[in-house]
């Protein structure tokens, strides 16, 4: 039950942060990322110490390669791209980008680990892509009318 509450809490915090990013004065994305990552690192370190986890530095090269990938592309890169999307789209539409993460994960897993991709994954991926199109990309008639009347209007 605690893990479900933690997942719900993180989703609520993420949604609130997306709304705040659009409303607060602009901050350079690298600065915002650095502050967020530093706070998260301190929180994770404190949580690991409270849980009695042993703190060890990885020894294997493959582990370091995974850490470098996750830090650069999986964290900083995705965060910067998300901020770019938030600046150009409404927060509710930008949230659809995170639905695409499992599709990228499955594709990378199939490529790197030779994981099989079955019919269920293909159908599920098509449904997700269809949902993202309808929810985030398809311009409704009302939105296109409003955009034609007000050139400053966003989707």
């Amino acid at each position: 039950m605690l893990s479900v509450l933690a997942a719900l809490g993180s989703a609520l915090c993420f949604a609130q942060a997306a709304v705040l990013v659009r409303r607060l004065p602009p901050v350079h994305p690298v600065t915002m990322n650095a502050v967020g990552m530093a706070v998260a690192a301190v929180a994770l370190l404190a949580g690991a110490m409270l849980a009695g986890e042993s703190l060890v530095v990885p020894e294997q090269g493959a582990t370091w390669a995974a850490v470098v990938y996750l830090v650069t592309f999986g964290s900083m890169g995705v965060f910067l791209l998300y901020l770019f999307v938030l600046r150009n789209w409404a927060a509710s539409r930008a949230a659809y980008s995170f639905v695409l993460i499992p599709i990228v994960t499955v594709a990378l897993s199939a490529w790197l680990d030779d994981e099989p991709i079955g019919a269920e994954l293909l159908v599920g991926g098509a449904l997700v892509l269809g949902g993202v199109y309808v929810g985030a990309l398809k311009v409704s008639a009302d939105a296109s009318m409003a955009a034609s009347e007000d050139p400053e209007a966003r989707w």
Side-chain angles (χ1 to χ4, degrees):
M1 181 64 168
L2 187 59
S3 60
V4 172
L5 291 175
L8 179 61
S10 67
L12 291 173
C13 289
F14 192 81
Q16 184 61 41
V19 172
L20 284 175
V21 164
R22 291 190 50 84
R23 292 188 181 198
L24 293 176
V27 176
H28 195 279
V30 174
T31 303
M32 188 181 304
N33 195 6
V35 170
M37 293 291 180
V39 170
V42 169
L44 288 172
L45 183 62
M49 292 172 69
L50 286 173
E53 295 288 330
S54 61
L55 304 175
V56 295
V57 176
E59 296 178 9
Q60 296 181 351
T63 305
W64 279 108
V67 168
V68 168
Y69 166 78
L70 287 173
V71 167
T72 55
F73 297 108
S75 295
M76 293 187 317
V78 169
F79 183 76
L80 294 174
L81 288 172
Y82 184 65
L83 287 179
F84 174 77
V85 170
L86 267 178
R87 297 235 185 263
N88 295 297
W89 282 6
S92 59
R93 296 184 81 192
Y96 280 97
S97 62
F98 286 97
V99 180
L100 300 174
I101 290 173
I103 293 175
V104 174
T105 303
V106 167
L108 285 174
S109 180
W111 176 47
L112 296 173
D113 293 333
D114 293 324
E115 291 285 333
I117 295 180
E120 300 89 359
L121 286 175
L122 291 175
V123 170
L127 289 171
V128 168
L129 290 175
V132 169
Y133 173 74
V134 169
L137 300 177
K138 186 177 179 189
V139 179
S140 68
D142 294 338
S144 58
M145 293 277 293
S148 66
E149 292 172 8
D150 181 12
E152 295 295 319
R154 293 190 177 163
W155 292 5

